[in-house]
Amino acid sequence: DLRFITAWIGLSACCVTSARNDQTVPNFLPLVQRLTEFDSNKRYYQLLWQQYSGPVKELIKNPYVFAPYWEAQRAADSKDNQWRPAFEQSSVAALNCLSRQRVPELVAIVFDRLYVLQNQLIQGGATYQGRVNRSQVSHGAAMAEALLAVTIDIMLEHADEHWGDLIYPVSDSY
């Protein structure tokens, strides 16, 4: 749990800027598109296709890390399965992205799923070291750490780029 949480904090520091701070669910795609433009060695693709292909497929096919599933559960009629077509469509799209090397879209979908997992851990939907969701937490931790390393590498290699304004920048008054 702590591995995932600390890796997610690092990803958040890289990815969540004031430009996206007003959204409930961050839109990772614009930043991921920029990052992949600078990823000349295709590190994101190698990471998600070669190193974590199985865990990525597991994450994509898991409804418990799909935000609309939980929105439907909180709805007045929680037996409503209106989330299912969106889930199936998202899963097919993600698997197509994986097989067709559409890296920005795939990374954004993985980030979206990891964001839901982060919410479960941070906001009390999962218990610390609980027995439920262990596979997605351990795989999510490994993927988040690897995604963080690639993201930081790309940002450092292109430090002259403006990656967005920090939500909580260092202030002279501290």
Side-chain angles (χ1 to χ4, degrees):
D1 294 12
L2 293 176
R3 276 183 62 212
F4 178 81
I5 291 168
T6 54
W8 187 262
I9 289 169
L11 281 170
S12 292
C14 294
C15 298
V16 181
T17 63
S18 59
R20 291 182 294 282
N21 189 35
D22 59 341
Q23 297 174 337
T24 306
V25 177
N27 179 6
F28 296 106
L29 187 57
L31 178 62
V32 170
Q33 286 173 324
R34 286 194 62 218
L35 286 164
T36 55
E37 287 173 16
F38 293 110
D39 186 14
S40 57
N41 296 328
K42 299 188 179 203
R43 290 169 283 191
Y44 282 121
Y45 180 74
Q46 290 171 2
L47 177 79
L48 296 177
W49 178 251
Q50 294 173 352
Q51 190 173 355
Y52 290 104
S53 179
V56 166
K57 290 175 187 174
E58 183 182 319
L59 191 70
I60 289 166
K61 294 178 181 179
N62 185 340
Y64 304 114
V65 290
F66 184 63
Y69 169 83
W70 293 108
E71 292 165 10
Q73 299 307 307
R74 290 187 293 273
D77 181 12
S78 62
K79 295 180 185 192
D80 185 5
N81 281 335
Q82 290 184 354
W83 62 272
R84 189 161 292 283
F87 174 70
E88 297 297 335
Q89 182 180 14
S90 173
S91 297
V92 168
L95 293 172
N96 283 335
C97 290
L98 187 60
S99 67
R100 294 185 177 138
Q101 298 189 27
R102 291 181 29 220
V103 178
E105 295 89 347
L106 177 61
V107 174
I109 291 169
V110 169
F111 273 29
D112 286 341
R113 298 298 210 278
L114 293 176
Y115 179 77
V116 173
L117 180 59
Q118 176 269 158
N119 284 341
Q120 291 173 351
L121 292 171
I122 299 295
Q123 297 177 7
T127 57
Y128 177 69
Q129 294 184 340
R131 289 182 296 213
V132 178
N133 304 338
R134 286 301 91 198
S135 176
Q136 67 192 27
V137 172
S138 63
H139 290 218
M143 281 189 285
E145 288 172 340
L147 287 165
L148 175 61
V150 170
T151 301
I152 289 173
D153 281 349
I154 292 169
M155 288 180 150
L156 288 175
E157 288 168 4
H158 302 279
D160 55 328
E161 289 294 316
H162 180 70
W163 295 104
D165 297 325
L166 296 175
I167 295 173
Y168 303 106
V170 176
S171 172
D172 291 337
S173 62
Y174 284 128

